[in-house]
Amino acid sequence: LPRVAGRTVVELGAGAGALARLLARTAKRVIATDLPKRVAASAPLENSAKIAWRAHAWGDVASLAAIFRAERVDVVVAAEVLHWRGGDVFDADTLDPLAASLAFAVREAEGVLAWRERDAQREARFLSMLAARGVDVVDAVCHAGDDGDDHGDDDDDHGAPPPPPPPMRV
């Protein structure tokens, strides 16, 4: 991840806040964003004064713009968000709204998108959506999927797992 020490970070799709808490160890401040219902569930559990929870549904650029007006944001992080397709089969796919949010955010701050490869075609489609919105993608490195041994690592159980690659910067 980019250097966050002393910087204000917005996380898109913070979920339960695991990455937000990790970032808060060195960041000046972390604004964890997610769907309103998820923020309502996660925010009351947060005990770090350095983390603020804000509702933001991807594609709602107005809510993201309000965050940027209220805070001087240095870095925007979106990690492990490309696989999310919606709450159920009737929900719209999330790639286009996510691309809209990330494209807005990286006009205001440094952006980092990190993911583990799950669906190469879907991920390539997302990168195309960013490019269509004028976002230059540099340092695009994706960590290839699991080794399949059901242990959640990539080492085929022979020695230490390889270090993760650097995230993609947008």
Side-chain angles (χ1 to χ4, degrees):
L1 290 174
R3 289 181 293 255
V4 298
R7 301 172 87 190
T8 299
V9 179
V10 167
E11 182 185 3
L12 299 177
L19 181 57
R21 283 187 287 285
L22 180 66
L23 293 167
R25 290 180 181 175
T26 58
K28 175 182 175 184
R29 180 167 167 80
V30 176
I31 298 118
T33 70
D34 213 308
L35 294 170
K37 66 182 178 183
R38 205 172 282 270
V39 168
S42 298
L45 304 174
E46 191 55 60
N47 63 3
S48 172
K50 292 173 69 173
I51 300 174
W53 284 87
R54 300 289 181 264
H56 169 66
W58 296 335
D60 178 6
V61 176
S63 70
L64 198 54
I67 293 169
F68 278 85
R69 280 193 305 273
E71 304 272 351
R72 184 186 173 283
V73 177
D74 302 300
V75 180
V76 176
V77 175
E80 292 300 332
V81 293
L82 297 182
H83 65 281
W84 184 250
R85 296 175 193 272
D88 63 40
V89 295
F90 300 108
D91 285 346
D93 194 349
T94 58
L95 286 186
D96 189 60
L98 175 59
S101 288
L102 192 56
F104 170 82
V106 300
R107 287 182 177 84
E108 306 292 326
E110 177 183 357
V112 177
L113 174 65
W115 75 94
R116 175 180 291 274
E117 183 179 80
R118 291 180 178 88
D119 181 340
Q121 288 179 331
R122 178 177 174 78
E123 293 143 8
R125 189 167 42 123
F126 182 73
L127 296 178
S128 295
M129 289 175 170
L130 288 178
R133 286 175 166 82
V135 176
D136 292 325
V137 177
V138 296
D139 297 335
V141 177
C142 170
H143 191 39
D146 194 353
D147 61 2
D149 68 359
D150 295 324
H151 293 114
D153 58 16
D154 290 313
D155 65 0
D156 291 319
D157 293 329
H158 302 294
M168 181 191 89
R169 296 193 188 281
V170 293

